Amino acid sequence: MKKSKKQKLEADYFKTTKHRALSAARRLISIVICTALIFSLSSCWSRRELNTLAIVLATALDVGDKPDTVKVTAQIVKPGGIKASSTSSGGGTAEKAFSNIAFTDKSILSALGGFTHITNRRMYFSHNKVLIFGSELAKRGIAEGMDTFTRNFETRMNVYVLVSKDKAADILDEEIELEQMPANHISELLENQGLSSETAIVTVRDFNIATLSGTMAPIAPMIELYNFKEKKKARLEGTAVFKESRMIGELSSTQTRGLLWITNKAKRHTITIDTELGKIDLIITGSKGSIKPYRNKDGTIGIKLMVNAQGCLEGNETEEDLSTLENIQKLSELAEEAIRADIESSIKQAQALSADVFGFGESIRRDYPKEFEKIKDNWDQEFVKIKPMLEVEVFLNCTGGIGKPVKEGGG
Amino acid sequence: MKLENGHISEHSLMFGVYCFMQASMLRTAFIVGVTKNDSWAMAFTGLALALVLVAIYAALLRRYQQKNLFEINELIFGNVLGKVFSALYLFFFLTIAALNARDLGNFAESSVLPGTPLTAFILMFLMVCVYAIRKGIENMMRLATVLSFVAAGALVFNVVLILKNVNIEFLKPMFQLPFKNYVQGTVTVAAIPMGEILAFTMITPMLGKNKKAGKMMALGLIYSVISLSIIMLRDIVTLGPLLGIVRLPSFESIRYISLAGVMTRMESLYAVILISLFLFKTVVLLYASVLGLAQILNFKSYSPLTLICGAFVLFYSLIVTKSAMENEEWGASVAPFFSLSFELMLPVIALATAMIKRMLKKKEAQQ
Amino acid sequence: MRALEKLLSQTKKKITKSVVSSEAEEINPEKLSRCLSENLNALVKVFGDNCDFVSREFNFGRDGQYKGAIMFFDGLTNLKIINDNVIKPLMYDSRFVRSDDTGALESLEELRDKLVSVGDLKTVESISGAIDACLSGNAVLLVDGFQKALDISAKGWDKRAISEPDTETVVRGPREGFIENLRTNTALVRRKLRSPQLKIRSIKIGDRTNTQVNIIYIDGIVNPELIAEIERRLKNIDTDAILSAGNIEQFIEDSPSSVFQTIRYSEKPDTIVGKMLEGRAAIIIDGTPFVLSLPMLFVENFQSSEDYAVRTSYATTMRILRFIAFFISLFGPALYVALATYHQELIPTSLLITMAASSESLPFPAALETFLMMLSFEILKEAGVRMPRPIGQAISIVGALVMGEAAVSAGLVGAPIVIVIAITAVASFAIPFASDAVSLLKWVLLVLAATMGSFGITLGALAIVIHLASLRSFGTEYLAPFAPFQTSDLKDTLTRVPLWKMRTRPRALKPRDSKRQNFKIPYKPAEANDSGEEDRS
């Protein structure tokens, strides 16, 4: 009785093991086939080895030599150069860590395609940090460039946009000392602008947002080459103003500052005040700017600009003790005056260009959409007519490490 | 020892609905095109409509305890007509499964690995889906809780990181669009991601007691609506007018994160979570189809059909739309009506028939 | 019952094998004979060819009127016990039995009760019982005229001393480890758990090895269904040899084809007792220092007995670190390959440039490079484990030099991949329990990464998670408390909350008594403490 049960159990056991072994074999075979298929079908589709890539760090777009062409210059990393310069530190004859290549064709994308004729590596734009337009091209129109660099999935929208005063390609050839690549130099240059707040930092995203609003005039910082000890170096200077994708004018550094005060982008800035007794330096450590549309009694819309800044007394050439409340109050007023002057000058310039760089139109659209509908179509004329109210307030809350000035017999 | 067979907890169902809904994050582009910077509110108005749908499903499930949608169909309409109804639902489930697989393929093709054919992505993806169903849907449902926490955590993480780059002003002007747009937005939200939870009616019998199914589905919907509106708010305040032109707003807004040069390129994290959520959603839909097909064909076990259904969805997803543009166009215009006819019309007919039948029975009994 | 049956059939086999003569049929293998010589013959025929088998005949009683024989295996028994406590009382002391006593032995039990001074004594009535007793290290005393024999426990073989286990070293916490001797091991457990509720059940497995396997658990905590299931599975084992804990493990685990182990092992009594107190059962196998504990949860891969001995904050940090190590060792090479061949946009620019510089003149694609380095590392690891220890060290030095230095400076592989492989290797040493599974799965992920980049890795990872969620260990979901999600069980997973906060045992194990303790805060002033006690009562 027991035996038979056991035998039956054993038979079952063998049956199931046999079945299991079979299904396991089948499964194994199917797995092998699938793996082989995946291997053979998928490998190398979008594979790109590191040493087959030309990593682009900066791109410059210029007007081509032939009519209706565009010249694309790309700065690519030369990994060999990086190695050489890092091992032979200080060696003056070190190989450059980058190489600039250019191609001219009818459109940007066809020029990019053209790079395949002159370089064996695949151009790789994911790490592109800087996009520079030559001013000639900027005046002709940059819509194509912006669209291409926004549409492509490889590029990012936090690429910095700049406009060069001359040929953009020349900027990429600047002779630099601290950095290994001009692209890094330029992008880090921009990132440090918060310390002076005299240059607008504009990314592709910012530019596109301004363009898409319809009424706002996009801006981009300008860069130029200058000679220093017989070396060509790049520096940031002023801002280019665009309208309908064309560069129509410039803002000076002061005017840019005014723009940044209003648009809440100014961070730190040093204001130097000339008094009869000597110069006084105030550092603005933080500021908050806002554009507030309001409705007049007659139903028209006005603009109120408010800037609220905090700062420190950081330099004192005079022999006066400026740390008294009375003096601080006076200084604040002087600083307010200086900021007001910046803003007024930038509004004047913008209205001269009839370009709404501040986004007055946008702020009206957001707060008074119905009223805006009426003036939307002839916004350019409306913008020129706007006389914004200005409210600037500066609050000085420290005097640096010392209170009284360093002067003879002061202690 | 009793090794539990296919039992899930109520919370699993709730989080399952949450995960299912979160998988539709990519589809926000449909709504954003219609209601622009007010899209975040559509999540709430859509919820109101979707709760009606859930109430209908709950009513059906309450009437027929321990039965899934396809069994309920046969109980209400009888063997033949019931199977016809079931076949319609089957078509619907397969279609949205295919659409989802296609969505994932498009996403992977455009932003994860450009240059690799769509088929490869969908094939691999569906292989994992089939594996998951073979291993048991209850395991997938149990994973939902953790997956929800991960997805919600990643969302919070992303939102915190992007705060530096947002501009609240982009939300203005609020509610200035034509009323028609809001209606369209609401219907779209309710029909496309929310109504698709109809697929869960194939899983609810696993709860053991169907009474709470409706409540849990509604709760899951509410949580996911909060997430959905946070996502849309984030996209609106980061992208502003760009929202209208980018193809994948959620993806693009995360791409912009850059904190100290280190906390950057977060979209990879997003992609991983998105693929996981897509997997969850497709598994639920595929399971609904497979189980439904097995019931229509009177199979004892659904597992032999899994691979077949998977293969079918693969080919279906390749032909369901021709391109991403067409998919978007379809999603914005036809899809809501297509979906609503299955999500609203058929269940309402079923419910009405059931009620009438019951009334007739009562009358008979009284006589 | 079944074990006995098996034993009988086996004895039969042995007898028919060893006895060639026709006398074999006359002996009744079931029963002992009344005649001593017949019994002796029967036993000698079974064990006769063994030089370590001792059979000593002697006379005893006041007048030496009784004939007896003691049989045992030399080496398995303690000769001192046999000499002093069995032979001496019988041969020497029995002469001084009082004169009014006739000296007649009524039964064998009389010997047991009056003369043989050994603690563990049994009577056996069959030859097979006597054989079994001899084989398990006992001495068998046969007396002429009785159909019974005495099974005298005189086990005494050489065993390893209790020492600190190599596999699980701890800084704080007990150092002792299990050894190869079953009774010592059960004693180690019992010493830690002085509770009448500690139960030890015995089963013999293996037709040839007759290995003693003990199920050990705490009655009242453990789920009785679990014990029934373990017993059922153990009894189902039909094999001829059990040589290690791993053998048992493979026979009873739920999913033998999975790369993840679903039964935890440990060499440390404190670990095993801890597991038992959580509601698990343990299986101790004679001849191996590894004790199995089950059911096993996935998180147990990341737990160490030391976690409970150190401070909460540190233990939690270590837990998280182990999880990170798990992810690094699993995904490290795959992520490197995916990033270096598909997703260069995800690498920070400056790092990418450095990587590009180092891969400038490399002969192999990144995937192949990683494959080769992983392969050589695995070989190195295996060689280091298998080689005798002094050579093993030499191997690691040579390997490290060749792999780390020469290969990079010769330009065969890039420096980044060496770093990646090294980190992966170090990380896998931080999670000894999961490292087996990880070392297999990382190859799969590498292939996926090489073909489909991060998409492949993501799908691979998802498949692994689904697989983990589908695993069961004796009715417990392997991925508990994550899936199904159980908030109260999370206390001992990614974090290790203070011990006094662990008020309940893991729910996932379905313990019969889930309350572990009722302690509110670690320290309270005296009055407050009193009120707390009132609350409790």
Side-chain angles (χ1 to χ4, degrees):
Chain A
M1 178 69 193
K2 264 187 182 171
K3 271 261 161 81
S4 68
K5 203 175 173 187
K6 199 182 171 190
Q7 270 170 352
K8 203 185 154 224
L9 263 173
E10 264 173 15
D12 277 357
Y13 180 74
F14 279 118
K15 220 158 95 195
T16 47
T17 36
K18 205 173 157 193
H19 175 73
R20 264 192 211 150
L22 264 179
S23 75
R26 220 179 335 164
R27 199 178 296 167
L28 196 72
I29 289 168
S30 63
I31 287 172
V32 168
I33 289 174
C34 283
T35 326
L37 271 178
I38 289 175
F39 254 125
S40 59
L41 286 177
S42 71
S43 56
C44 317
W45 267 321
S46 38
R47 195 171 67 100
R48 38 188 189 211
E49 290 296 327
L50 271 180
N51 49 14
T52 62
L53 290 183
I55 302 163
V56 179
L57 288 188
T59 318
L61 302 175
D62 279 303
V63 174
D65 306 328
K66 290 176 200 150
D68 205 25
T69 56
V70 60
K71 179 184 166 198
V72 181
T73 313
Q75 182 160 85
I76 55 177
V77 182
K78 214 156 68 180
I82 297 267
K83 230 181 190 171
S85 55
S86 62
T87 46
S88 66
S89 57
T93 54
E95 202 186 349
K96 272 186 185 169
F98 65 91
S99 135
N100 290 342
I101 55 171
F103 200 86
T104 310
D105 211 328
K106 274 180 284 186
S107 72
I108 294 172
L109 277 179
S110 56
L112 290 182
F115 277 129
T116 52
H117 300 307
I118 54 171
T119 175
N120 59 331
R121 296 201 172 186
R122 185 185 176 285
M123 303 297 279
Y124 188 60
F125 280 88
S126 275
H127 287 267
N128 188 24
K129 285 181 180 169
V130 179
L131 178 60
I132 308 174
F133 290 95
S135 57
E136 207 181 325
L137 181 72
K139 280 170 188 150
R140 213 168 73 182
I142 62 165
E144 186 205 354
M146 292 312 294
D147 186 88
T148 309
F149 275 79
T150 311
R151 193 181 292 276
N152 194 328
F153 266 111
E154 213 172 86
T155 59
R156 287 173 173 267
M157 281 218 250
N158 42 16
V159 173
Y160 295 119
V161 180
L162 296 113
V163 174
S164 76
K165 291 218 164 126
D166 272 316
K167 286 269 177 202
D170 297 341
I171 304 283
L172 296 186
D173 277 326
E174 70 162 325
E175 292 161 275
I176 42 166
E177 276 157 9
L178 287 177
E179 295 297 323
Q180 289 186 326
M181 272 157 285
N184 285 342
H185 178 236
I186 296 167
S187 64
E188 280 159 28
L189 209 57
L190 279 167
E191 277 151 21
N192 271 335
Q193 286 307 304
L195 290 179
S196 70
S197 303
E198 292 194 339
T199 313
I201 307 166
V202 177
T203 62
V204 171
R205 165 187 179 255
D206 301 333
F207 200 96
N208 280 333
I209 288 177
T211 312
L212 284 166
S213 79
T215 55
M216 205 168 155
I219 49 168
M222 297 196 75
I223 191 164
E224 64 178 3
L225 285 178
Y226 69 105
N227 276 316
F228 181 73
K229 287 184 187 163
E230 290 180 12
K231 280 189 170 175
K232 277 184 180 164
K233 302 203 166 222
R235 69 173 167 214
L236 295 167
E237 179 76 47
T239 304
V241 179
F242 289 81
K243 212 170 167 187
E244 282 154 1
S245 294
R246 282 188 188 81
M247 179 174 159
I248 50 158
E250 289 177 33
L251 299 181
S252 69
S253 289
T254 324
Q255 289 156 352
T256 311
R257 211 158 63 212
L259 169 72
L260 296 180
W261 288 127
I262 304 173
T263 50
N264 194 21
K265 280 182 185 140
K267 282 172 193 149
R268 283 173 79 90
H269 176 61
T270 311
I271 299 175
T272 309
I273 300 166
D274 276 314
T275 61
E276 311 93 73
L277 297 168
K279 282 182 193 150
I280 295 162
D281 284 329
L282 301 173
I283 290 191
I284 301 296
T285 50
S287 97
K288 209 172 151 41
S290 58
I291 304 168
K292 283 260 155 25
Y294 63 94
R295 199 196 302 264
N296 285 325
K297 273 175 192 155
D298 58 352
T300 56
I301 303 295
I303 297 275
K304 190 162 129 192
L305 303 175
M306 286 181 288
V307 176
N308 212 323
Q310 308 92 46
C312 269
L313 169 69
E314 286 287 347
N316 183 6
E317 204 187 58
T318 67
E319 298 202 333
E320 202 74 8
D321 175 10
L322 295 174
S323 60
T324 61
L325 281 179
E326 196 183 333
N327 280 336
I328 289 287
Q329 182 61 34
K330 256 182 217 159
L331 283 177
S332 305
E333 275 161 26
L334 286 172
E336 279 162 19
E337 207 48 53
I339 292 175
R340 200 183 291 270
D342 289 347
I343 295 173
E344 273 163 3
S345 123
S346 80
I347 293 176
K348 205 174 145 199
Q349 172 70 2
Q351 287 183 332
L353 295 169
S354 94
D356 179 10
V357 289
F358 314 100
F360 289 167
E362 263 302 288
S363 55
I364 297 175
R365 185 183 75 84
R366 280 175 197 150
D367 289 354
Y368 299 100
K370 293 213 175 74
E371 286 79 356
F372 184 72
E373 278 301 303
K374 289 175 218 153
I375 52 173
K376 195 173 78 177
D377 294 330
N378 44 1
W379 172 245
D380 284 353
Q381 289 87 336
E382 292 288 330
F383 174 68
V384 176
K385 281 190 275 179
I386 284 178
K387 293 236 154 35
M389 269 167 58
L390 250 176
E391 256 180 43
V392 182
E393 219 171 289
V394 173
F395 178 65
L396 296 176
N397 51 13
C398 65
T399 60
I402 52 174
K404 296 187 171 94
V406 184
K407 63 175 182 185
E408 286 170 28
Chain B
M1 177 178 274
K2 193 184 154 235
L3 301 173
E4 78 305 286
N5 36 359
H7 179 79
I8 57 167
S9 71
E10 293 151 14
H11 284 97
S12 290
L13 179 69
M14 184 179 86
F15 287 113
V17 171
Y18 180 87
C19 287
F20 189 87
M21 285 285 303
Q22 290 309 296
S24 313
M25 279 193 289
L26 269 190
R27 293 203 163 200
T28 50
F30 290 163
I31 315 148
V32 162
V34 180
T35 48
K36 307 240 159 30
N37 57 348
D38 298 323
S39 301
W40 58 273
M42 292 307 103
F44 295 104
T45 50
L47 174 70
L49 190 56
L51 285 179
V52 176
L53 299 180
V54 171
I56 296 168
Y57 308 154
L60 273 175
L61 292 173
R62 210 177 306 120
R63 257 157 229 274
Y64 301 92
Q65 296 275 325
Q66 297 277 28
K67 297 274 180 255
N68 65 30
L69 182 65
F70 282 36
E71 287 164 339
I72 292 173
N73 274 338
E74 289 194 24
L75 285 174
I76 294 178
F77 299 108
N79 221 347
V80 180
L81 195 60
K83 276 198 170 33
V84 172
F85 265 75
S86 297
L88 285 173
Y89 282 123
L90 180 67
F91 165 68
F92 177 60
F93 290 149
L94 283 172
T95 307
I96 36 180
L99 278 170
N100 269 290
R102 180 59 186 255
D103 267 359
L104 176 104
N106 282 340
F107 167 72
E109 192 192 17
S110 61
S111 34
V112 181
L113 281 183
T116 304
L118 190 74
T119 325
F121 294 117
I122 303 181
L123 175 70
M124 249 189 100
F125 176 73
L126 284 172
M127 267 161 61
V128 180
C129 288
V130 168
Y131 176 74
I133 296 177
R134 282 270 174 106
K135 286 284 171 186
I137 187 80
E138 69 275 6
N139 294 318
M140 204 67 200
M141 295 299 289
R142 282 173 187 161
L143 280 173
T145 317
V146 174
L147 188 56
S148 306
F149 286 140
V150 171
L155 175 61
V156 171
F157 187 59
N158 281 333
V159 168
V160 169
L161 286 183
I162 201 81
L163 278 182
K164 201 183 71 163
N165 293 314
V166 302
N167 184 358
I168 302 291
E169 295 286 308
F170 285 142
L171 282 175
K172 290 195 223 165
M174 283 190 191
F175 308 117
Q176 291 298 324
L177 295 166
F179 185 69
K180 187 185 94 207
N181 287 24
Y182 295 114
V183 175
Q184 193 187 343
T186 305
V187 173
T188 310
V189 174
I192 294 184
M194 294 185 185
E196 286 170 4
I197 62 168
L198 174 67
F200 279 94
T201 51
M202 298 299 283
I203 294 173
T204 42
M206 281 189 178
L207 279 178
K209 40 188 187 295
N210 271 1
K211 262 184 198 164
K212 284 213 167 170
K215 190 183 158 199
M216 288 300 143
M217 278 157 90
L219 269 178
L221 261 186
I222 290 167
Y223 289 135
S224 59
V225 156
I226 295 169
S227 283
L228 198 69
S229 71
I230 290 175
I231 289 169
M232 289 204 270
L233 272 174
R234 178 197 66 194
D235 295 350
I236 292 163
V237 294
T238 3
L239 293 174
L242 272 176
L243 195 66
I245 64 164
V246 294
R247 178 140 283 152
L248 305 170
S250 312
F251 192 67
E252 208 53 65
S253 62
I254 296 172
R255 255 167 85 98
Y256 204 75
I257 292 179
S258 173
L259 210 69
V262 184
M263 280 291 183
T264 176
R265 296 154 219 271
M266 284 290 141
E267 72 263 25
S268 49
L269 179 74
Y270 171 80
V272 168
I273 289 166
L274 195 67
I275 294 172
S276 318
L277 291 170
F278 257 112
L279 183 89
F280 185 86
K281 186 172 180 181
T282 315
V283 164
V284 170
L285 290 169
L286 197 58
Y287 171 78
S289 323
V290 170
L291 183 66
L293 186 61
Q295 276 171 15
I296 292 174
L297 300 176
N298 290 333
F299 272 45
K300 273 192 187 127
S301 151
Y302 64 80
S303 59
L305 290 171
T306 322
L307 202 58
I308 299 168
C309 270
F312 178 77
V313 169
L314 170 67
F315 294 116
Y316 192 15
S317 70
L318 292 177
I319 55 163
V320 70
T321 52
K322 287 198 193 78
S323 63
M325 290 82 76
E326 199 191 82
N327 192 1
E328 239 160 75
E329 172 78 28
W330 189 80
S333 53
V334 192
F337 304 103
F338 171 78
S339 295
L340 276 182
S341 54
F342 295 99
E343 289 160 4
L344 183 66
M345 213 171 76
L346 294 188
V348 164
I349 294 173
L351 190 61
T353 318
M355 284 164 98
I356 292 166
K357 261 176 123 177
R358 201 170 163 201
M359 268 161 59
L360 288 178
K361 247 189 196 166
K362 257 190 192 166
K363 262 187 192 167
E364 260 173 42
Q366 276 168 2
Q367 282 164 359
Chain C
M1 256 327 268
R2 233 191 110 193
L4 200 72
E5 224 176 56
K6 229 187 279 172
L7 206 76
L8 285 177
S9 62
Q10 175 208 333
T11 342
K12 258 185 224 165
K13 263 184 250 164
K14 271 188 186 164
I15 289 168
T16 42
K17 257 182 212 164
S18 57
V19 181
V20 196
S21 65
S22 58
E23 286 173 16
E25 284 123 50
E26 291 167 27
I27 300 167
N28 183 358
E30 301 283 339
K31 286 276 174 195
L32 279 167
S33 161
R34 199 173 276 278
C35 170
L36 176 66
S37 57
E38 260 178 44
N39 288 338
L40 274 178
N41 276 343
L43 280 169
V44 166
K45 264 167 195 154
V46 175
F47 292 129
D49 288 341
N50 292 306
C51 56
D52 59 343
F53 183 67
V54 179
S55 163
R56 162 84 156 86
E57 287 174 65
F58 54 89
N59 292 342
F60 67 99
R62 195 158 53 185
D63 312 315
Q65 69 271 49
Y66 294 106
K67 271 171 82 183
I70 188 155
M71 270 163 282
F72 55 89
F73 275 100
D74 193 15
L76 285 184
T77 43
N78 187 345
L79 280 178
K80 198 170 179 306
I81 295 179
I82 295 176
N83 291 345
D84 293 358
N85 303 18
V86 183
I87 299 183
K88 184 171 168 268
L90 286 175
M91 291 176 73
Y92 183 73
D93 300 348
S94 67
R95 286 192 278 147
F96 303 109
V97 179
R98 279 206 319 274
S99 56
D100 54 315
D101 198 325
T102 53
L105 259 179
E106 307 265 295
S107 68
L108 205 58
E109 278 76 15
E110 213 172 319
L111 269 185
R112 185 186 71 185
D113 298 342
K114 288 181 179 162
L115 279 169
V116 179
S117 54
V118 174
D120 186 5
L121 260 184
K122 273 182 288 205
T123 44
V124 284
E125 296 181 7
S126 63
I127 288 191
S128 60
I131 290 168
D132 196 27
C134 283
L135 283 174
S136 54
N138 293 351
V140 173
L141 178 69
L142 289 162
V143 180
D144 195 25
F146 295 103
Q147 258 188 320
K148 286 175 184 170
L150 280 186
D151 171 357
I152 301 160
S153 174
K155 292 190 184 79
W157 51 77
D158 285 329
K159 57 196 178 195
R160 192 161 64 96
I162 293 173
S163 60
E164 192 176 355
D166 288 333
T167 52
E168 293 162 86
T169 46
V170 290
V171 182
R172 285 173 76 172
R175 301 278 164 94
E176 60 187 8
F178 288 119
I179 61 167
E180 283 79 0
N181 187 19
L182 177 82
R183 272 296 151 255
T184 316
N185 291 351
T186 52
L188 283 171
V189 172
R190 207 176 266 288
R191 261 184 43 212
K192 290 198 183 296
L193 259 174
R194 289 177 202 164
S195 157
Q197 286 182 314
L198 176 70
K199 306 285 177 199
I200 304 177
R201 287 201 213 170
S202 173
I203 293 179
K204 273 195 180 164
I205 304 174
D207 288 345
R208 300 263 173 227
T209 56
N210 269 318
T211 313
Q212 254 208 55
V213 175
N214 285 6
I215 308 170
I216 179 161
Y217 60 93
I218 303 174
D219 199 24
I221 292 181
V222 79
N223 184 355
E225 284 179 18
L226 173 69
I227 301 300
E229 176 69 15
I230 294 172
E231 256 184 353
R232 192 182 68 78
R233 291 197 195 176
L234 283 177
K235 280 180 180 158
N236 253 355
I237 299 177
D238 188 4
T239 182
D240 63 346
I242 294 293
L243 296 176
S244 72
N247 294 12
I248 293 271
E249 193 182 327
Q250 290 178 47
F251 279 111
I252 60 172
E253 67 190 339
D254 288 70
S255 23
S257 54
S258 171
V259 292
F260 289 94
Q261 56 180 48
T262 49
I263 294 175
R264 167 89 192 253
Y265 62 87
S266 176
E267 251 189 297
K268 289 172 62 61
D270 56 321
T271 309
I272 291 298
V273 170
K275 303 271 174 219
M276 280 159 58
L277 285 169
E278 284 185 340
R280 293 187 180 83
I283 299 177
I284 306 186
I285 298 119
D286 195 21
T288 165
F290 290 100
V291 173
L292 304 177
S293 94
L294 48 147
M296 182 190 178
L297 304 179
F298 180 64
V299 285
E300 281 182 67
N301 285 317
F302 305 97
Q303 291 172 345
S304 143
S305 67
E306 193 161 4
D307 291 349
Y308 309 96
V310 294
R311 305 197 59 73
T312 303
S313 46
Y314 181 71
T316 302
T317 320
M318 289 303 112
R319 280 279 167 84
I320 294 168
L321 212 61
R322 277 180 221 140
F323 273 95
I324 294 172
F326 175 71
F327 281 102
I328 291 177
S329 58
L330 190 56
F331 295 108
L335 271 179
Y336 173 78
V337 169
L339 287 178
T341 48
Y342 291 100
H343 309 288
Q344 289 91 353
E345 73 270 16
L346 298 181
I347 310 173
T349 310
S350 44
L351 179 62
L352 177 72
I353 293 171
T354 319
M355 277 169 68
S358 75
S359 74
E360 197 53 17
S361 55
L362 290 182
F364 303 121
L368 187 60
E369 195 185 10
T370 313
F371 182 85
L372 292 175
M373 288 303 283
M374 268 167 73
L375 191 69
S376 46
F377 168 73
E378 292 293 323
I379 294 173
L380 197 68
K381 195 172 96 179
E382 184 63 14
V385 174
R386 298 287 159 242
M387 275 283 126
R389 230 159 253 173
I391 307 177
Q393 277 174 359
I395 281 178
S396 50
I397 291 166
V398 170
L401 273 178
V402 170
M403 278 170 66
E405 272 300 313
V408 174
S409 56
L412 287 177
V413 294
I417 185 58
V418 175
I419 298 169
V420 169
I421 296 291
I423 291 175
T424 309
V426 172
S428 76
F429 294 141
I431 35 152
F433 288 101
S435 67
D436 287 6
V438 161
S439 69
L440 288 176
L441 288 176
K442 69 181 177 189
W443 291 99
V444 178
L445 287 167
L446 179 71
V447 170
L448 287 171
T451 47
M452 295 287 266
S454 67
F455 187 80
I457 297 181
T458 309
L459 284 186
L462 284 171
I464 292 173
V465 171
I466 292 166
H467 172 71
L468 283 174
S470 74
L471 282 182
R472 298 285 182 277
S473 173
F474 287 80
T476 304
E477 290 88 356
Y478 193 53
L479 219 49
F482 301 118
F485 197 75
Q486 177 69 259
T487 330
S488 64
D489 283 5
L490 285 178
K491 54 184 181 270
D492 195 15
T493 52
L494 269 174
T495 56
R496 200 278 282 161
V497 302
L499 286 183
W500 46 270
K501 266 195 174 172
M502 295 198 190
R503 292 204 188 108
T504 54
R505 302 176 213 286
R507 295 248 160 84
L509 301 172
K510 303 174 194 98
R512 196 199 259 174
D513 171 23
S514 65
K515 201 166 108 184
R516 202 204 284 263
Q517 58 203 351
N518 196 1
F519 196 66
K520 292 278 153 48
I521 51 166
Y523 172 75
K524 265 191 196 174
E527 317 93 48
N529 223 345
D530 289 343
S531 69
E533 262 174 20
E534 274 164 33
D535 281 353
R536 243 173 277 162
S537 55

